[in-house]
Amino acid sequence: MAQESKDVSQLVSHLFRHEAGKLVAVLTRIFGLEHLGLAEDVVQEALARALQIWPFQGVPQNPSAWLMRTARNLALDVVRRQKSFRDKQPEIIHAMERDTATPDGAIFSEQDIADDRLRMMFVCCHPVIPPEAQVALALKTLCGFGVTEIGRAFLTSDAAIAKRLVRARQKIHEAGIPFEIPSGPELGERLDGVLQSLYLLFNEGYKASAGDKLIRQDICEEAIRLGALLAQHIAGDQETHALLALMLLTAARSPARTDEAGNLLRLDEQDRTKWDRPMIGRGMFHLARSAAGDRLSKYHLQAAIAACHCEAKDYASIDWERILALYDRLVACDPSPVVALNRAVALAEARGPQAGIEAINAIEDRESLQQYYLFYAVTGELELRLGRFRTAAAVFRKAFDLADLNSEKEFLKKRMRECEALQEDDRLARSTRVSAPAG
């Protein structure tokens, strides 16, 4: 029984991550966005009941349908107790009471569920909701993340995340945001916000801002899943395919970014046999799809850079000149200091470390990078390659002080030790040259 309970717990945990967002989206369409909280509550209760019942009665043949039916029935009980619902929206009762012939049959079609998730995506990413709240709401509503998980991901307290979610729901209510996929000119404006939120969501997974792990694979997978859902719909465009390509081509290489102990590895140290080749194939497919239009976005350029890495058979084969040319175009359309820093890395690889240092010194608004640990980590690497070991060690120390993750700190600590060892070797070599007798 203990083992069965453990197995059920693991199954419910999996279903919570993969099904909760679908259930909430469907129930929100039926109840209305003003009752988003109610939809989340009944889904949570359905999952709790699964934990109580399944260890004794067995897991149903179709667990997802069971959860949907249980959540539906819980919501229907609430509807029946609230006269205002019946008087105002009698169609809700009809929608909630429909059933299928078999107990394990799905109540709603996969297309219904997919469309409802897309509608919810556009709601979460509405421009009246602040960007940081958009991502939090998407994680909570669409991906089934708890408040504590979201807070841990963004190095923020549970209370702060809870406030963001409350304010986001208030914005939805006050603005009267419709539960729909926009059309016409509004679609393009709203789609930009949705893509940006998915981009931020993926970046948080690929390089976590807090916690013990550098990569939050679950967040990456959710961003890719939502991106694929959008790309399959008519609302998705070439830019959507470009973003999906970027996420796939980047995530495919993530298994090689750390060693077995979770320590960060440099690009030249990574084992490329660990790359997910089928995922790279999917990424290349969507990159080709993204080329159908005449718009060149930052996602297209970043996906093309990721493709350059995926196409190289080893580190020595990377086409840094091509990557540099792509970064030149990327800086033109996205002139952020972080993009300029990444370009400096490519320049250093193509033209040498001194060229990289000069590019870093030429970054506009370089002051905004002063609290960004990678600014110092990159500078330290280039100083190390130039043989300026003392300077490199000092810069790595700054990076170490700003880094949040243990894997980052361990990596930087290792680089500092290497600098100190090289500095000592250099001192001994010079000492030997000075003390050597004249011939």
Side-chain angles (χ1 to χ4, degrees), residues 4-72:
E4 288 179 6
S5 297
K6 182 180 178 181
D7 293 343
V8 166
S9 179
Q10 291 175 344
L11 174 60
V12 171
S13 178
H14 171 81
L15 289 169
F16 178 73
R17 181 69 85 223
H18 293 277
E19 302 295 329
K22 300 176 184 179
L23 304 181
V24 169
V26 170
L27 295 174
T28 300
R29 167 174 55 83
I30 295 169
F31 278 102
L33 275 167
E34 65 270 26
H35 299 291
L36 173 58
L38 173 62
E40 291 177 339
D41 289 344
V42 295
V43 169
Q44 191 78 34
E45 177 61 22
L47 289 160
R49 293 194 178 189
L51 284 172
Q52 296 170 348
I53 296 172
W54 291 358
F56 300 97
Q57 297 185 2
V59 176
Q61 184 177 351
N62 188 335
S64 299
W66 187 98
L67 289 171
M68 180 67 80
R69 179 171 282 101
T70 301
R72 186 275 314 265

Side-chain angles (χ1 to χ4, degrees), residues 153-201:
F154 290 99
L155 202 61
T156 307
S157 67
D158 292 6
I161 293 298
K163 286 181 181 178
R164 284 186 195 179
L165 294 171
V166 168
R167 288 170 185 161
R169 294 186 183 110
Q170 287 175 341
K171 287 286 187 182
I172 291 172
H173 181 68
E174 292 168 0
I177 299 174
F179 191 72
E180 65 183 17
I181 300 172
S183 59
E186 188 185 359
L187 175 60
E189 297 173 7
R190 296 276 298 283
L191 185 59
D192 288 343
V194 170
L195 295 178
Q196 180 64 16
S197 289
L198 289 179
Y199 180 66
L200 293 173
L201 186 63

Side-chain angles (χ1 to χ4, degrees), residues 349-361:
E349 294 291 347
R351 312 279 171 83
Q354 185 58 43
I357 289 287
E358 292 171 2
I360 289 175
N361 292 335

Side-chain angles (χ1 to χ4, degrees), residues 364-396:
E364 295 184 12
D365 193 22
R366 197 165 53 133
E367 291 72 21
S368 65
L369 296 173
Q370 298 304 306
Q371 299 302 311
Y372 186 47
Y373 98 92
L374 282 175
F375 170 70
Y376 298 103
V378 168
T379 304
E381 288 290 339
L382 299 183
E383 293 287 358
L384 179 58
R385 286 170 58 182
L386 287 167
R388 299 197 281 253
F389 308 129
R390 185 184 298 275
T391 301
V395 179
F396 279 133

